[in-house]
């Protein structure tokens, strides 16, 4: 069964460092997303990406965040200068088409900022 | 601004009995609702969804009920099985994949 894969599974970084989280969405999917979940809190939308551009972003997704689809398979989330409050589980998700109901999530990348 | 609320952080149910998980929302623009299940160290997994034009959707042991006038939906699992033990998230959207998730309900099914 096709799945969304994410690397690394866990990353520990120092405050102020740059972090890149990587995702390989399901191969024929066209819509890509990042969500995050701070420990004990709800899953929050960060950004959606379609046709090589951001289609929607939340207020969390400030100038420190960026997304990129550098090739035909990877979808990355970059945090330019990490803060303590960026510590969370980051989930990548993909969908075949919009409004068809189901997002497929990866297993998540846990980011710990010290 | 909690547009989607799951007021019960946890629920324990005996195996074989019915589990009822509840979710309330405030945004009347939401027109599609979903339930996701999440095990520790895994991403959310889609369980069942319902469009606002329906009031019930059933898939095997899982049924979702939507009461639009009360802005309330519920997930019924019957019969509950130990493997159903997980955190269940309700999510809502107004037509995109910008899902608004609730805070989750941890279901424990006791053998």
């Amino acid at each position: 069964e096709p799945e969304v894969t994410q690397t690394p599974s866990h990353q520990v970084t120092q405050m102020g460092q740059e972090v890149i989280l990587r995702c390989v969405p399901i191969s024929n999917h066209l819509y890509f997303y990042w969500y995050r979940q701070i420990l004990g809190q709800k899953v929050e939308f960060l950004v959606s990406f379609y046709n090589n551009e951001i289609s929607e972003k939340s207020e969390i997704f400030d100038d420190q965040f960026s997304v990129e689809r550098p090739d035909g398979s990877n979808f990355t989330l970059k945090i330019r200068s990490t803060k303590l409050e960026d510590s969370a589980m980051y989930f990548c998700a993909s969908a075949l088409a919009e409004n068809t109901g189901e997002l497929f999530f990866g297993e998540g990348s846990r980011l710990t900022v010290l | 601004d909690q547009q989607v609320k799951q007021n019960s952080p946890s629920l324990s149910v005996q195996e074989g009995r019915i589990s009822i998980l509840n979710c309330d929302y405030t945004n009347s623009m939401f027109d599609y609702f979903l339930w996701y299940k999440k095990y520790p160290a895994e991403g959310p997994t889609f369980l069942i969804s319902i469009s606002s034009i329906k009031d019930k959707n059933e898939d095997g042991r899982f049924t979702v009920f939507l009461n639009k006038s009360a802005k309330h939906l519920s997930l019924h699992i019957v019969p509950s099985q130990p493997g159903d033990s997980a955190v269940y998230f309700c999510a809502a959207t107004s037509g995109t994949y910008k899902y608004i998730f609730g805070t989750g309900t941890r279901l424990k099914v006791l053998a």
Side-chain angles (χ1 to χ4, degrees):
Chain A
E1 187 176 317
E3 58 181 16
V4 176
T5 57
Q6 291 185 240
T7 55
S9 56
H10 187 193
Q11 179 152 359
V12 181
T13 190
Q14 293 290 328
M15 191 169 56
Q17 295 296 303
E18 177 183 282
V19 159
I20 297 177
L21 305 178
R22 292 183 167 79
C23 170
V24 178
I26 295 174
S27 61
N28 61 338
H29 283 189
L30 302 174
Y31 295 81
F32 313 109
Y33 305 83
W34 284 99
Y35 282 76
R36 79 172 185 190
Q37 184 184 25
I38 295 171
L39 186 65
Q41 298 186 23
K42 61 182 178 180
V43 177
E44 299 174 292
F45 169 82
L46 291 179
V47 66
S48 59
F49 191 87
Y50 169 71
N51 201 26
N52 281 320
E53 60 183 25
I54 290 173
S55 44
E56 194 168 5
K57 60 183 180 179
S58 72
E59 58 276 7
I60 303 169
F61 195 88
D62 61 22
D63 293 344
Q64 294 300 314
F65 290 87
S66 63
V67 289
E68 196 176 39
R69 189 157 160 80
D71 52 44
S73 59
N74 290 286
F75 178 52
T76 62
L77 173 70
K78 182 192 288 186
I79 309 174
R80 188 162 51 222
S81 176
T82 49
K83 303 188 283 283
L84 294 176
E85 54 265 38
D86 294 328
S87 295
M89 183 73 94
Y90 287 81
F91 293 105
C92 174
S94 70
L96 179 59
E98 231 178 9
N99 304 331
T100 56
E102 186 178 348
L103 271 184
F104 291 81
F105 283 86
E107 293 192 344
S109 293
R110 179 170 296 287
L111 176 64
T112 302
V113 182
L114 303 175
Chain B
D1 176 24
Q2 279 207 314
Q3 297 186 64
V4 178
K5 300 178 195 177
Q6 293 176 256
N7 291 319
S8 298
S10 64
L11 175 70
S12 291
V13 171
Q14 286 290 340
E15 181 179 7
R17 307 294 289 267
I18 185 171
S19 295
I20 300 177
L21 297 98
N22 293 303
C23 178
D24 297 292
Y25 62 96
T26 57
N27 189 340
S28 56
M29 298 300 292
F30 289 146
D31 59 5
Y32 199 80
F33 305 89
L34 309 94
W35 285 94
Y36 275 78
K37 180 166 79 170
K38 186 179 179 305
Y39 293 116
E42 293 186 14
T45 304
F46 172 76
L47 199 55
I48 193 169
S49 62
I50 188 166
S51 162
S52 60
I53 62 173
K54 294 187 173 184
D55 54 19
K56 177 182 173 181
N57 188 26
E58 196 171 347
D59 183 3
R61 296 186 297 115
F62 303 92
T63 303
V64 56
F65 295 92
L66 175 63
N67 182 334
K68 282 199 305 183
S69 60
K71 294 192 175 69
H72 177 84
L73 65 153
S74 61
L75 173 68
H76 292 209
I77 306 172
V78 56
S80 302
Q81 299 173 353
D84 296 329
S85 298
V87 178
Y88 288 79
F89 290 96
C90 165
T93 179
S94 53
T96 70
Y97 282 112
K98 183 183 177 182
Y99 290 177
I100 307 298
F101 282 86
T103 49
T105 296
R106 183 177 301 278
L107 173 67
K108 184 182 280 189
V109 179
L110 307 169

